[in-house]
Amino acid sequence: MKLTKDNELIIEGPSNLNKIIEGLIKAREQGLERWARFNGKTFYSTDITYDKAYQTIYGCTKEEFDKKIEKARLEFEEEKKKEEEKLKIKIPEWIERGKSLIHESKQKDWENAVNARAHDLYHGKEIEEALIVMKKLQENLTNEEMIELLKKENHSGASANLVRDLVLHFSNKGPDFYEATALTLNEQEKKLLEQIRNNNKNITK
C-alpha cells in the first residue's frame, strides 16, 4: 500500500492504539485500504489485528497486556489500602506530637493540616519532617544549623517547601527557620513573616 494523505486513517479526537486498530479494522470491513502510525510504527488495514499491533508496541498480546494492567491496578489498590491503614495510626500520632510543640491557639489548625496533608502526594512525610524540625528548633539552633537540618532529609524542592511552610505556620520559631532556609524573600513573604512573628509574640505573652 502506498502511504498518502488520501488513504491515511483520520482519528477524531485524542488517538490511542485501540482507536487506531478499530479504525483500521472498520476500513477493511468497508473494503478500504487505510494506514496509520502509532509510536513511530505504521499499521495497515490489510493485515491489522489486535495481537499483531500489541506485539509490535508492547511486546505481548492484548490479553497479556490487559492482564498486566489489571495486575498493576490491583497492586496499586492494595498499596493504597495499606497506606490508608498506616495513616489511621499515624494521623492521631502526628496530632498528639504537635501538642507539645505548637501553641494551643493553633492546635485546631494543626489537626486540620495533618488530616489534609496526610493524604497528599507525600503521604504525610512532610508532617513527620516538620515535627522533627519543630522539636529541634526548641534547641536554639543557629541559622547554619537550621539550613543543615533541612538539607539532611534530602527533600526535593517541593517537599522541602511543604516542610518549611508547616514549620512557618506552627512553630514559634517558624519565621526564623523559613527565613534561614530561603534563598531569597520577596516582599509578600517578608510581610507574611512579620505578621506571623507579631502573632507569635501576642499569643506567647
Side-chain angles (χ1 to χ4, degrees):
M1 180 193 308
K2 186 176 180 180
L3 306 187
T4 69
K5 282 292 181 183
D6 290 336
N7 61 10
E8 180 181 7
L9 178 71
I10 304 301
I11 301 292
E12 297 295 334
S15 177
N16 59 48
L17 184 59
N18 283 345
K19 274 190 175 183
I20 287 172
I21 298 169
E22 290 165 8
L24 291 174
I25 290 175
K26 185 175 180 180
R28 183 171 66 220
E29 290 172 347
Q30 295 173 342
L32 303 173
E33 290 191 347
R34 293 290 183 266
W35 65 273
R37 285 198 181 95
F38 184 83
N39 281 12
K41 303 294 183 181
T42 303
F43 297 99
Y44 305 91
S45 60
T46 52
D47 63 353
I48 188 74
T49 67
Y50 276 93
D51 283 348
K52 184 173 183 178
Y54 271 74
Q55 286 282 6
T56 300
I57 298 297
Y58 301 115
C60 61
T61 65
K62 185 178 186 303
E63 182 181 3
E64 289 168 340
F65 180 83
D66 289 342
K67 285 180 179 179
K68 287 179 183 179
I69 294 297
E70 178 62 11
K71 181 182 177 183
R73 186 190 70 79
L74 292 174
E75 288 175 351
F76 174 79
E77 290 297 328
E78 185 63 27
E79 284 301 312
K80 187 177 177 182
K81 194 180 295 183
K82 287 179 182 177
E83 193 62 43
E84 289 297 325
E85 290 301 316
K86 288 180 186 176
L87 289 177
K88 286 180 183 178
I89 299 170
K90 295 300 293 184
I91 288 174
E93 178 189 309
W94 286 327
I95 293 171
E96 185 63 30
R97 285 167 61 190
K99 289 182 179 179
S100 63
L101 302 169
I102 299 167
H103 191 272
E104 60 183 15
S105 66
K106 297 181 180 181
Q107 290 293 331
K108 186 61 181 176
D109 287 340
W110 171 249
E111 183 176 338
N112 291 337
V114 169
N115 278 299
R117 303 270 181 121
H119 299 282
D120 69 7
L121 177 64
Y122 301 102
H123 304 296
K125 183 177 186 293
E126 71 272 27
I127 301 169
E128 179 67 34
E129 299 306 332
L131 285 165
I132 293 170
V133 169
M134 287 191 284
K135 187 168 182 62
K136 290 293 290 183
L137 287 176
Q138 293 180 337
E139 301 175 11
N140 296 318
L141 302 181
T142 64
N143 284 0
E144 290 74 18
E145 288 171 328
M146 291 183 196
I147 293 170
E148 285 304 313
L149 182 60
L150 188 66
K151 279 183 179 179
K152 75 176 185 179
E153 298 302 330
N154 296 318
H155 290 285
S156 66
S159 64
N161 286 332
L162 290 173
V163 172
R164 291 174 67 235
D165 189 62
L166 283 170
V167 174
L168 169 63
H169 287 89
F170 293 106
S171 171
N172 283 343
K173 295 182 181 178
D176 297 334
F177 175 76
Y178 192 93
E179 188 170 22
T181 55
L183 294 176
T184 59
L185 289 172
N186 59 40
E187 288 304 313
Q188 186 176 357
E189 287 175 313
K190 289 176 183 177
K191 288 180 182 179
L192 177 61
L193 293 183
E194 182 181 1
Q195 178 185 333
I196 293 176
R197 280 192 174 105
N198 289 334
N199 183 57
N200 288 345
K201 287 178 183 177
N202 290 332
I203 64 177
T204 53
K205 283 181 179 178

